[in-house]
Amino acid sequence: MRKTTIAGAALGLLLATTSLAQAETLKFLTWQLTEDTYGPWWEAVIAKFEEAHPGDTVEATQIARQDFADTMMTQFAGGSPPDIVHLASFEYQPFAANGWLEDLGPWIDKAGLDLDGWAGQNLCTWEGSTRCINLQYFAYIMGVNTALLEEAGLEIPTGWDEFVAAARALTKDTDGDGITDVYGTGLHLASGNNYINDMLNFVLDAGGSWTTPEGKPAFDTPEMVAAIDHWATLIREGLVPADTTGGDARQLFVEGKVAMRIENPGLAGVIETSASEEMKPNLKLVPSPFDPPVGGASAVITMPSEIPDERKQKVWDFIAIATSPEMQELFSEVVGAPAPRPGSVTDAVLASTPEYGLVVEAMEKAAAAGVDRVPVGLETHYNELASIVREEIQRMIIENRTAEDTAATLQERVSALQ
């Protein structure tokens, strides 16, 4: 009896020791941990994982957004990447190109994860294999100052012709000092990839695309010539404030100095937090006048290719929890934007704010059209593309060049990137 007791105790000690030996800490770097919306969602995902894996923990570390890509690149290049890989959707491509990201296809198949209709997921295909799962997809809507529209006797514009006509009517020098006080619209005209993100509204509406479905530059098309002409018209005619960032244009909108601003759904929060109580009733969110609206993946999740298989299984379990119906519904609730998994927006969430239905409709429209900000074939040249396009549009304005000439030059310069 005593021997049995001792043997049982030894077995218990052995199991405990084995359990402790198998317990692992998964490293996870993100720029969203301290954000009011995303932070609570990540905490919920981590708690769910640790509940399902007693003894295992997730060590989550906040990295500033401006330092994030460089930090990840340094860790991967040094052979010590985090286990759970979180990246911006426009930054994951160099990691995939280096062979650092796991092919998630077999894991997805084994788990039976259905990605049909998953918004923005096409972006995660790299050289024929799935290297990530998209965690967020958004589409642009438009903010309008209804007081300015009503004063000018205008309806909310739909389509380019009505939009540019409204921009011309709304751009005014209100005090007669020769300086424009109110602009019809606002664009990101400073450097950075938001230049081509804003311009993509006009490209898509004209039926164009930065590249062909095969990934070849497609600037020398009649559609792209029309898009370039529309974009340059707003600048040439002074219908937009000069050299603004998207943030500047957004701020001018909530101050009543820009009448229309096409934006991501984050504009709703800016109105709520930055507009005066007097201005708020005048600011309304409506569908983008352009079809299809700009849409884009925002962040992805994946895992490194060079970690032990046992560890990969635990990372996949974490990914499976993050992409589960329960957590995707929670995402739509706490983040205030639709999660990419179809059906993740419940009726209660849909009714939570007047704008939610508008945001969902725009997202579904952009996703159905397969729209993403990052051009196929130029994924690793996203920032270079933005610089080239901005340079050539500036040259077009300064030298009074035609849209046809600018399109031809862009075709030549962008082709050289490949």
Side-chain angles (χ1 to χ4, degrees), residues 264-287:
N264 65 55
L267 184 58
V270 176
I271 293 172
E272 183 59 34
T273 58
S274 301
S276 67
E277 292 304 317
E278 182 183 9
M279 183 62 67
K280 280 181 184 177
N282 299 331
L283 306 181
K284 181 180 179 182
L285 300 181
V286 300

Side-chain angles (χ1 to χ4, degrees), residues 142-149 250-261 267-268 270-286 355:
M142 181 167 71
V144 295
N145 187 316
T146 55
L148 293 175
L149 285 170
R250 196 180 304 134
Q251 183 60 34
L252 291 171
F253 172 71
V254 299
E255 292 174 0
K257 297 175 183 175
V258 159
M260 304 179 290
R261 169 66 183 160
L267 184 58
V270 176
I271 293 172
E272 183 59 34
T273 58
S274 301
S276 67
E277 292 304 317
E278 182 183 9
M279 183 62 67
K280 280 181 184 177
N282 299 331
L283 306 181
K284 181 180 179 182
L285 300 181
V286 300
E355 295 84 15

Side-chain angles (χ1 to χ4, degrees), residues 50 69 86 101 181 228 241 326 346 393:
E50 292 179 343
H86 188 213
L101 302 182
D181 301 297
I228 291 169
E326 177 187 2
T346 64
I393 296 294

Side-chain angles (χ1 to χ4, degrees), residues 60-76:
T61 302
Q62 172 76 18
I63 302 293
R65 182 71 198 97
Q66 65 270 23
D67 301 325
F68 196 81
D70 289 343
T71 300
M72 293 291 277
M73 189 61 73
T74 299
Q75 294 203 5
F76 269 92

Side-chain angles (χ1 to χ4, degrees), residues 4-355:
T4 303
T5 302
I6 292 173
L11 178 60
L13 178 61
L14 175 62
L15 289 174
T17 303
T18 302
S19 177
L20 286 174
Q22 293 175 339
E24 292 183 286
T25 298
L26 301 184
K27 293 184 179 179
F28 170 47
L29 272 57
T30 177
W31 65 94
Q32 295 180 334
L33 203 61
T34 57
E35 295 185 17
D36 292 339
T37 51
Y38 298 102
W41 183 74
W42 281 117
E43 290 172 3
V45 174
I46 291 169
K48 193 78 176 176
F49 172 83
E50 292 179 343
E51 179 186 350
H53 295 77
D56 290 332
T57 56
V58 175
E59 181 182 285
T61 302
Q62 172 76 18
I63 302 293
R65 182 71 198 97
Q66 65 270 23
D67 301 325
F68 196 81
D70 289 343
T71 300
M72 293 291 277
M73 189 61 73
T74 299
Q75 294 203 5
F76 269 92
S80 57
D83 301 294
I84 302 162
V85 178
H86 188 213
L87 288 165
S89 59
F90 53 85
E91 291 173 342
Y92 96 88
Q93 294 83 5
F95 297 84
N98 277 313
W100 290 338
L101 302 182
E102 175 81 352
D103 177 4
L104 297 184
W107 296 93
I108 293 167
D109 291 343
K110 183 180 176 183
L113 177 59
D114 184 3
L115 293 175
D116 283 349
W118 194 281
Q121 182 57 28
N122 56 329
L123 183 82
C124 281
T125 300
W126 180 261
E127 295 182 348
S129 61
T130 302
R131 299 292 167 169
C132 57
I133 295 178
N134 182 42
L135 282 183
Q136 188 176 7
Y137 185 88
F138 65 88
Y140 281 19
I141 54 178
M142 181 167 71
V144 295
N145 187 316
T146 55
L148 293 175
L149 285 170
E150 289 172 10
E151 183 182 320
L154 297 169
E155 299 291 330
I156 294 171
T158 57
W160 163 251
D161 290 340
E162 291 184 12
F163 182 80
V164 70
R168 285 168 176 150
L170 292 166
T171 299
K172 291 182 178 177
D173 167 14
T174 58
D175 55 14
D177 65 356
I179 299 173
T180 300
D181 301 297
V182 178
Y183 292 90
T185 188
L187 303 172
H188 180 106
L189 296 177
S191 59
N193 54 41
N194 277 331
Y195 189 95
I196 55 175
N197 291 343
D198 270 13
M199 189 174 170
L200 186 57
N201 287 292
F202 303 84
V203 172
L204 295 171
D205 187 62
S209 174
W210 302 125
T211 58
T212 66
E214 293 75 31
K216 298 300 179 185
F219 286 85
D220 56 348
T221 66
E223 292 82 6
M224 284 300 294
V225 169
I228 291 169
D229 183 62
H230 291 173
W231 176 261
T233 294
L234 297 173
I235 303 171
R236 275 177 166 155
E237 295 189 16
L239 308 180
V240 295
D243 300 326
T244 48
T245 66
D248 295 335
R250 196 180 304 134
Q251 183 60 34
L252 291 171
F253 172 71
V254 299
E255 292 174 0
K257 297 175 183 175
V258 159
M260 304 179 290
R261 169 66 183 160
I262 302 172
E263 261 275 11
N264 65 55
L267 184 58
V270 176
I271 293 172
E272 183 59 34
T273 58
S274 301
S276 67
E277 292 304 317
E278 182 183 9
M279 183 62 67
K280 280 181 184 177
N282 299 331
L283 306 181
K284 181 180 179 182
L285 300 181
V286 300
S288 169
F290 300 138
D291 185 28
V294 169
S298 178
V300 302
I301 190 168
T302 182
M303 71 170 90
S305 56
E306 298 297 329
I307 59 175
D309 287 345
E310 299 78 12
R311 207 166 179 83
K312 286 180 182 176
Q313 180 61 59
K314 292 185 178 180
V315 176
W316 174 256
D317 291 348
F318 185 91
I319 293 173
I321 288 171
T323 55
S324 66
E326 177 187 2
M327 285 298 149
Q328 290 284 290
E329 287 182 10
L330 183 65
F331 182 102
S332 298
E333 178 184 340
V334 303
V335 171
R341 186 184 186 104
S344 65
V345 180
T346 64
D347 290 342
V349 170
L350 198 57
S352 61
T353 66
E355 295 84 15

